[in-house]
Amino acid sequence: MNAAAIIEQPLGRLGMDSLPFWEMLQHPTEENLINGFIGGGAACVVVIGIVVVCALITFFGKWRALWSEWLTSPDHKKIGIMYVVVALVMLARAVIEAILMRLQQAVGLGGGFLAPDHFAQLFSTHGTIMIFFMAMPFLIGVINYVMPLQIGARDVSFPVLNSISLGLTAAAAMLVMVSLVIGQFSTGGWFGYPPYTETAFTPDVGPDYWIWALTLSSVGTTLTGINFAVTIYKERAPGMTLMRMPLFTWTALCTSILMIFAMPPLTVATAQLALDRYLGFHYFTNALGGNMMNFMNLFWLFGHPEVYILILPSFGIYSEVVATFSGKALFGYRSLVLATMTIAVLSFTVWVHHFFTMGQSANINAVFGIASMLIGIPTGVKIYEWMATMYRGRVRLTVPMVYAIGFILLFVLGGITGIILANPAIDYQVHNTVFLVAHFHNVAIPGVLFGLLAGYHFWFPKVFGFRLDERWGMISALCWLFGFMLAFFPLYALGLMGLPRRTVAYFNPAYQPLEIVAFLGALLIGCALLALLIQGWVSIKHRNENRVFAGDPWDGRSLEWAVSAPPPEYNFPVLPVVNDADAFAAAKEFGVAYQQPDEFVDIKLPRNSAMGPVLGGLGFVMAFGLVWHIWWLVIVCALGTLAAIIVRGFARDTVQTVPASVVKEEHGRWLDAVQHAAAISRAAECDPANEGLAEQGAAGATS
Amino acid sequence: MTSRLRQARPPYVGVAILSSTLLLLSGCAESGVYLSFLNPQGPIAAAQRWHLIEVVVLLGVFVALPIFVLLPLLVWRYRYGAKSPRYTPKWQDYLPLEVMVWAGPIAIICVLGFLVWHYTHALDPYKPIAPHGRPLQVQAIGYDWKWLFIYPDQGIATVGVLAIPVEQPVAMRLTSATVMQSLLIPALAGQIYAMGGMVTQLHLKATKPGRSLGENTMYNGNGFHHQKFTALAMPPEEFKAWVRKVRASGVALDARAYKALSQRGTVAELVAALPRASHEGNIYLTQVSAALFPAVVEATMTGTPTALGHVLVAPAGLPAPVVRKTAASSMENAP
Ligand code: HEM
Ligand SMILES: [Cu+2]
């Protein structure tokens, strides 16, 4: 890197051949045409999508509102919503990619239509997106929205940092999207093992996109973890002791602790790989003292806790959902807390199970195999506690509950196959086969995704003030459930038949029938996603009939249900005082819910800050410059980042005040609505009659 | 212990149903190639199958079954609107149940823990298989996208086929000349990674003659899905004849052949590049030095892939290579 190079090549490695149609136009063979159209088509969708969104915003004159009410907002609720929007967009992309891969494999006997390189990008982006840009933003979004409400706080401890975390995550997601249009993504899978991802074997920009996307998002997530943990330690309402926190908040706490300790090894691993690729270091190369085994250890030191980062919040959601829709207190609260903590701690002791086949001694493998199985104990406990919660309750089969029940049944199978894989002697056979693919989807889809979707249906009325359409929700849930089974149960058999994962094509006809079944399952999952989309549309259309402004559509148990839907910007007009676990259920029981406080005071809230979008934008451009070796751009962005941080240091006017009179007025309006709402029994829960006020006592809860 | 390794135990009735269903799935395809350890061709795979069945039955009966029976029952009996069963909205603490809820999983994991300990040691890929004279030595080197199998005692090497005599244990050493790979012959034994600059080990044995699928399971680029080979188990006399045939009809592994071998490409592409070495789509090589494997390990480790001249046979007419001991041959146990 010298001045001359910067002048000679101001765009670094960027050239015409970085564009998606280029290869197809230069060498118009049939294969190149098909792959060019698919890749180029996808690129067009991205570009057109961005253009259309921008045009719509301009047409409706919403740029200013977007900037001042959303992008720069430090409100945890808005940040939560934006996280979930990112997650849903990325979910759509990753599911489409999954269907494409399944189609390729269904016709993959002896070839298929996708080029191997194209297929490799598909599984790499699919995996990377599903983990880092679907599941993570989704759960962070849900925690962001719900957790401060559950603990009776006004916001998270560091609201602007929260916005910066979102900016970094969005920048990283954007980087993955851009790789669709300019250049190509990594082919090294979601864990990007070297030495395959070293320059000696993959000199193109793919692994660089992967490295910087992961680096940006891992930094963002570490900050999020710190933010959440501090919030839970410091911002709880008076009386909200740790053992009175709702279980979802407990899982949020454990997940945050895991984020703090598990993300840095990933940041270090990707940074070391970057040093190898950019500056000729030898951390993970074959030669000159490099050792790729170190990467695997670092990656999975992150990677295994990561799967619990993903699943613990979903366990929390299921706990809330099962208790609420069984009309009963959560059974075995203390056991569930203990189980959650146990899982969090144990999750750091099992990473070697991702490479039992790396040649370490039988003693080591056996110890890590047994350690892995130990996690089955607290997980099993949870399942029994949820079942005990239904015992002598009154179970209502709403959409979230259907997800929860489907989850328990399917997750048992996923857990069992996990324990099978924890036997090193069996893992030697099925490691790296589609049996493993079936296993981790069996925990990721019913476990993580269904949980988040259950949470989406559960809290949507709280967030937007109206309920989602039940019928389309149910159709979608059933499509997810059966689609999942069709798509992934065949893979267990295929894995036992020796089919390796990441196979673009195969040459033994024995594999094809089950591949076709799996493809049909993937199609059904596509329908599920479509149904979810239709549900959104229908629900928005009928929003006025389904309003639940009073705020408690499901006869909820924790504090987020104790405020209006949507909640005011400051969450609580006066901070609640908590005397009980299940604070809101207790308040309703003792008739002290919906109180008019004696006195209102001014509420101080953080003022908007541009730090989130600015740092996110600079991070994105800097990463892009790094990927393409556009050094001047990197330097400019680095200086810009530094400047932004310094300028922010001088900002003194960081607080805004909501006057007591406004709070009083808004609260009065809400109490009025509550007064005029009809208290409904659970039977009318899904009717327009539900205005968000629940009839109390056994009568309301049982028939 | 060894007795279990020798012969798969006769399965009991329930197990028989389970395994025969799986067997149907894993069946020998038209091509006559064994794909799966559910249809094992050797003692290791047979023991792995037995282990799988044990674990599946244990977990199926004690974990899945109770939940699959109980949960629908609970959902039905305590459904919203049901009149008769008790409704206890505040029942959330009951010590005996808590104890059971923890004790059940703990008991199951204890049993499983013993199984893990036992099988992990019994089926350790590094552990030589019960004595049967000297095992057949094979050295496997992973290239993109093919495996080279060196028979150091016979002085030959193959690509695309791994021939072994039945009943004689095979002791394999593995390394990679490129990126990480993983060698798996499901019907015979589990997989182990092959990594550049390092040596790993795998022991296996075939009990019946037959063809089994062999493959790389670790993605390594565009030709990954082509990186298959046939593990060909044959009676000992036939194996001797096969070795003679390779010696007679293979070509010498000289610098030119090695260059073709180490180029990125599939077996088919190698066959096209070395037509004279090709037999039924496989490559036979002769005059292979026992020092080649350690030399490849060392060359990969030091980053000097071209420094192999001294272990490759010289072009026709010149004397065979001098076998030189290298540092790498003493690092068998890494990692
Ligand atoms: C929604 C339905 C889904 C379908 C149909 C699907 C399908 C697939 C397919 C076909 C592959 C490639 C398998 C192979 O390597 O042979 C794959 C890989 C993967 N999927 Fe999914 N998937 C889905 C959802 C998810 C979810 C929810 C997650 C995680 C939260 C996820 C995470 C992954 C990961 C990590 C990989 C591995 C990528 C790699 O090989 O590096 N998937 N999936
Ligand atoms: Cu793990």
Side-chain angles (χ1 to χ4, degrees), chain A residues 95 98 101-102 105 123 126-127 130-131 134-135 189-191 434 437 440-441 444-445 449 480 488 501-503 522 525:
Chain A
V95 167
M101 281 191 283
R102 283 267 139 267
Q105 288 199 334
F123 67 67
H126 166 83
M130 280 294 194
I131 305 277
M134 190 289 286
W190 85 279
F191 46 66
V434 291
V437 174
F440 67 66
H441 284 89
I445 294 179
L449 188 59
W480 272 115
F488 290 100
R501 68 191 291 194
R502 301 175 174 172
T503 301
I525 288 176

Side-chain angles (χ1 to χ4, degrees), chain A residues 25-176:
Chain A
L25 296 177
Q26 296 298 302
H27 311 281
T29 61
E30 190 188 344
E31 187 186 302
N32 278 346
L33 282 175
I34 294 176
N35 287 282
F37 274 117
I38 295 175
C44 289
V45 171
V46 174
V47 174
I48 293 173
I50 292 175
V51 169
V52 166
V53 169
C54 290
L56 283 176
I57 297 174
T58 312
F59 181 77
F60 290 108
K62 292 282 185 204
W63 282 109
R64 182 174 293 270
L66 181 70
W67 179 258
S68 59
E69 278 167 38
W70 290 92
L71 299 183
T72 58
S73 168
D75 182 349
H76 71 97
K77 298 187 284 303
K78 287 184 174 163
I79 291 176
I81 293 170
M82 286 187 278
Y83 263 115
V84 174
V85 169
V86 171
L88 291 176
V89 171
M90 298 311 273
L91 173 69
R93 170 171 169 193
V95 167
I96 291 169
E97 289 178 330
I99 295 173
L100 203 58
M101 281 191 283
R102 283 267 139 267
L103 177 61
Q104 157 65 26
Q105 288 199 334
V107 300
L109 180 61
F113 60 97
L114 282 181
D117 174 64
H118 198 157
F119 185 81
Q121 285 183 56
L122 283 174
F123 67 67
S124 304
T125 44
H126 166 83
T128 306
I129 287 176
M130 280 294 194
I131 305 277
F132 294 100
F133 304 113
M134 190 289 286
M136 292 293 272
F138 207 150
L139 71 92
I140 291 175
V142 174
I143 295 177
N144 237 317
Y145 198 98
V146 175
M147 180 270 287
L149 285 166
Q150 282 198 333
I151 60 173
R154 294 214 192 284
D155 206 323
V156 293
S157 289
F158 309 113
V160 175
L161 189 67
N162 202 9
S163 159
I164 293 172
S165 298
L166 170 66
L168 293 177
T169 305
M174 204 55 208
L175 200 63
V176 180

